[in-house]
Amino acid sequence: MLIHVPHILTPEEVAYCRQKLEAGQWVDGKVTAGDQSAKAKVNLQIPQESAVAKELGTMILHALARSDIFTSAALPLRVFPPLFNRYDEGMEFEYHVDNSIRPDPETGFRIRTDVSSTLFLSDPESYDGGELVIRDTYGVHTVKFPAGDLVLYPSTSLHKVNCVTRGSRWASFFWTQSMVKDDAYRTILYELDQSIRSVRQTMPDTSSAVLGLTSTYHNLVRRWAEL
């Protein structure tokens, strides 16, 4: 399931991120890549232990918490502290699959990567290339969203970032361990939740239809969730 979540960050928050990142120290992006992925990865990152990464990461986590779409689609149990990368001209990340387990460098706590997320921090008109390309059973999807928008997709997907041919592409990226690790089950729950929201716009919450759908949703979550 690939989900577009618009306006995770406000324009003011995007501008603040850009200001802080412009003053940050960028290092080779291979520092967070596995042995195989490192051979396909050419980009820059802000060190995840830096004060800038921690401050902006906390801001993004707060923004995610206020997003009903993110919560509905990811059903988050734990979110890995957001990281930040950039692709300048000539940089790219060839096809790869994200590591299945990620340790938090500060706490040592490990999370299972069920859902991958990219939060765009550059306006799409400011660079050429740099599209996120996701390959799944339904084909190939090319993603290049406005600054402040987020895309979620299963971490099991092969994906890449096309070579940037003009400008610079900046983004935040992170992973979520979902309460429901199976993407097919998460898709069912997300679609059911969206249907419930639609029905509630035309019928009272006390109606048998709303109560029945809501009951089914929570019973499915109860059946599939792992805490």
Side-chain angles (χ1 to χ4, degrees):
M1 178 175 60
L2 189 153
I3 300 292
H4 175 201
V5 189
H7 312 305
I8 282 287
L9 295 183
T10 66
E12 293 76 17
E13 288 171 327
V14 171
Y16 184 76
C17 284
R18 294 282 308 201
Q19 177 186 2
K20 298 293 288 189
L21 292 174
E22 284 170 2
Q25 179 183 7
W26 295 87
V27 299
D28 193 322
K30 290 182 172 62
V31 295
T32 57
D35 180 64
Q36 186 175 9
S37 294
K39 300 172 185 177
K41 185 178 187 180
V42 182
N43 68 2
L44 299 172
Q45 287 182 202
I46 292 289
Q48 59 189 120
E49 69 278 4
S50 69
V52 170
K54 291 177 182 178
E55 178 190 356
L56 298 184
T58 298
M59 184 178 76
I60 290 172
L61 292 176
H62 289 160
L64 296 175
R66 67 184 182 230
S67 171
D68 291 340
I69 299 178
F70 174 79
T71 300
S72 177
L75 293 171
L77 177 63
R78 302 181 183 93
V79 179
F80 192 86
L83 303 173
F84 300 86
N85 62 16
R86 64 185 282 182
Y87 292 79
D88 295 334
E89 289 186 25
M91 294 184 177
E92 63 183 328
F93 197 167
E94 298 175 3
Y95 271 122
H96 63 285
V97 173
D98 292 334
N99 291 346
S100 56
I101 304 294
R102 286 275 177 179
D104 186 319
E106 287 203 354
T107 65
F109 196 84
R110 294 176 293 176
I111 75 165
R112 185 185 64 239
T113 57
D114 298 320
V115 180
S116 297
S117 297
T118 296
L119 174 58
F120 292 86
L121 298 174
S122 297
D123 290 322
E125 298 82 9
S126 69
Y127 63 98
D128 292 333
E131 300 89 354
L132 174 64
V133 182
I134 302 164
R135 193 166 75 190
D136 60 21
T137 56
Y138 298 102
V140 177
H141 312 275
T142 301
V143 179
K144 190 175 184 179
F145 290 145
D149 285 15
L150 179 77
V151 62
L152 294 83
Y153 58 96
S155 298
T156 53
S157 305
L158 274 174
H159 58 282
K160 68 175 180 176
V161 175
N162 282 338
C163 183
V164 172
T165 59
R166 178 187 65 87
S168 185
R169 173 201 191 266
W170 296 23
S172 175
F173 63 103
F174 54 91
W175 301 270
T176 301
Q177 179 172 335
S178 177
M179 291 182 287
V180 177
K181 68 179 180 180
D182 190 293
D183 181 60
Y185 292 167
R186 284 198 309 274
T187 300
I188 291 170
L189 291 168
Y190 175 75
E191 292 176 348
L192 179 56
D193 183 50
Q194 297 308 299
S195 295
I196 293 170
R197 292 172 187 270
S198 179
V199 170
R200 290 180 65 195
Q201 293 178 4
T202 59
M203 303 182 70
D205 285 351
T206 55
S207 68
S208 59
V210 172
L211 290 173
L213 287 170
T214 303
S215 175
T216 298
Y217 174 85
H218 285 289
N219 285 333
L220 286 175
V221 171
R222 187 175 292 111
R223 184 178 184 86
W224 292 335
E226 298 179 3
L227 302 180

